[in-house]
């Protein structure tokens, strides 16, 4: 049995809810029709709907890649999405800003690189989803996904960071890489304050991955925020912090101090991978 509620405009996508317990053991269905894009919604509302859909797809891919029966196909697709995310982050206008609260930015002067445009634009076009939503899906999975799904997301974070390093070809690109690194580090640090940190991975290992890639001068700019987040785990009075999170937080705290204030802190060099841009 179906019931529909829709504007008289024309056909629209359907959300279907199934409820058990109908007469004779049958299932009852309720079908809700949403107004189609272009039926009076603002450009911002359409972009927000697109972003919600993209985030659900991305988070679903992380979950699928952790399932043995579809792991190969999902991982291949997820790897392509990760590289596409890196390209969008370096070429889309204001890729990390919220959906525009005003008109789109004016076109750049002739000869302006896409990287320079993205770094300088205060707002993105309100008619398109932001690349940021794909980064948010990655962070959300790292913050609260099951362990096997978090492992997949951690691999994709490594791939995203490597892609950004490889694709950055100008000072403007390097500035965008800096901004993406800072955004990731800030969002992962916030996870230390979540209730889920007591029961599940909360991004500490991924914060360590970012810090190891960067030079001491860059890490020093974010030291207080990261150290505060780590201390919130190490000094939690409830005694029920997940042991893996506690151990990882302690190790990263020591590494952070050495990176920012150890013998090599003044040389501007990094440990391990590329620094992803100027500091």
């Amino acid at each position: 049995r179906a019931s529909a509620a829709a504007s008289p405009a024309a056909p629209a996508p359907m959300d279907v809810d199934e409820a058990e317990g109908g007469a004779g053991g049958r299932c009852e269905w309720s079908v809700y029709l949403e107004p189609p894009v272009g039926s009076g919604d603002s450009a911002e509302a359409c972009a927000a709907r697109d972003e919600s859909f993209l985030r659900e797809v991305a988070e679903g891919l992380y979950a699928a890649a952790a399932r043995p029966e579809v792991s190969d196909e999902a991982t291949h697709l997820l790897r392509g999405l990760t590289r596409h995310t890196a390209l969008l982050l370096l070429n889309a206008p204001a890729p990390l800003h919220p959906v525009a609260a005003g008109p789109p930015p004016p076109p750049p002067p002739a000869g302006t690189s896409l990287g320079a445009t993205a770094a300088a634009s205060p707002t993105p076009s309100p008619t398109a989803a932001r690349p940021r939503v794909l980064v948010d899906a990655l962070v959300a999975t790292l913050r609260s996904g099951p362990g096997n799904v978090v492992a997949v997301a951690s691999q994709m974070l490594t791939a995203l960071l490597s892609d950004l390093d490889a694709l950055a070809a100008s000072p403007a690109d390097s500035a965008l890489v800096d901004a993406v690194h800072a955004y990731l580090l800030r969002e992962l640090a916030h996870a230390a304050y979540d209730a889920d940190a007591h029961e599940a991975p909360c991004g500490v290992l991924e914060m360590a991955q970012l810090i190891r890639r960067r030079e001491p001068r860059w890490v020093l700019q974010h030291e207080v925020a990261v150290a505060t987040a780590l201390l919130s785990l190490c000094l939690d009075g409830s005694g029920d912090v997940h042991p893996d999170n506690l151990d990882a937080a302690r190790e990263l705290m020591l590494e952070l101090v050495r990176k920012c204030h150890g013998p090599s802190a003044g040389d501007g060099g990094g440990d391990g991978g590329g620094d992803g841009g100027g500091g």
Side-chain angles (χ1 to χ4, degrees):
R1 188 176 63 189
S3 61
S7 84
M14 294 188 297
D15 287 334
V16 180
D17 291 335
E18 178 181 357
E20 297 181 359
R26 293 177 299 174
C27 293
E28 294 187 0
W29 298 83
S30 296
V31 181
Y32 304 95
L33 302 182
E34 295 182 355
V37 175
S39 63
D41 289 346
S42 67
E44 289 85 353
C46 293
R49 182 183 298 141
D50 290 345
E51 289 189 352
S52 178
F53 174 74
L54 279 175
R55 178 163 174 163
E56 288 183 15
V57 169
E59 292 180 359
L61 280 175
Y62 289 116
R67 296 176 62 93
E69 61 269 29
V70 293
S71 176
D72 291 345
E73 295 88 343
T75 300
H76 179 74
L77 185 56
L78 193 54
R79 183 63 189 91
L81 179 63
T82 300
R83 182 169 180 82
H84 187 63
T85 300
L87 287 166
L88 288 174
L89 287 169
L90 292 176
N91 293 293
L96 296 176
H97 284 261
V99 171
T112 303
S113 71
L114 287 173
T117 302
S121 299
T123 55
S125 166
T127 60
R130 306 159 296 170
R132 169 179 166 174
V133 72
L134 298 172
V135 179
D136 288 343
L138 172 60
V139 171
T141 304
L142 290 169
R143 289 174 67 161
S144 58
N148 59 339
V149 180
V150 169
V152 172
S154 186
Q155 293 173 7
M156 292 305 147
L157 173 64
T158 302
L160 176 62
L161 297 176
S162 297
D163 286 343
L164 287 169
D165 286 346
L167 293 169
S170 69
D173 289 343
S174 295
L176 278 168
V177 172
D178 280 355
V180 173
H181 286 184
Y183 180 77
L184 283 165
L185 192 62
R186 183 173 65 250
E187 292 300 304
L188 290 168
H190 288 169
Y193 302 102
D194 290 348
D196 287 345
H198 296 93
E199 302 175 1
C202 65
V204 176
L205 295 178
E206 287 69 35
M207 281 196 286
Q209 188 180 158
L210 275 164
I211 286 171
R212 288 169 189 152
R213 299 181 74 90
R214 297 308 308 248
E215 71 282 2
R217 189 169 47 216
W218 185 91
V219 176
L220 191 61
Q221 298 173 26
H222 307 280
E223 180 190 17
V224 172
V226 174
T228 302
L230 296 176
L231 284 171
S232 75
L233 285 174
C234 294
L235 302 179
D236 189 291
S238 65
D240 61 351
V241 175
H242 193 287
D244 291 345
N245 290 335
L246 190 58
D247 291 343
R250 288 169 175 165
E251 291 177 11
L252 182 54
M253 179 64 78
L254 292 173
E255 189 169 348
L256 183 68
V257 172
R258 294 191 192 104
K259 184 100 176 189
C260 293
H261 308 289
S264 64
D267 63 11
D271 299 337
D275 64 11

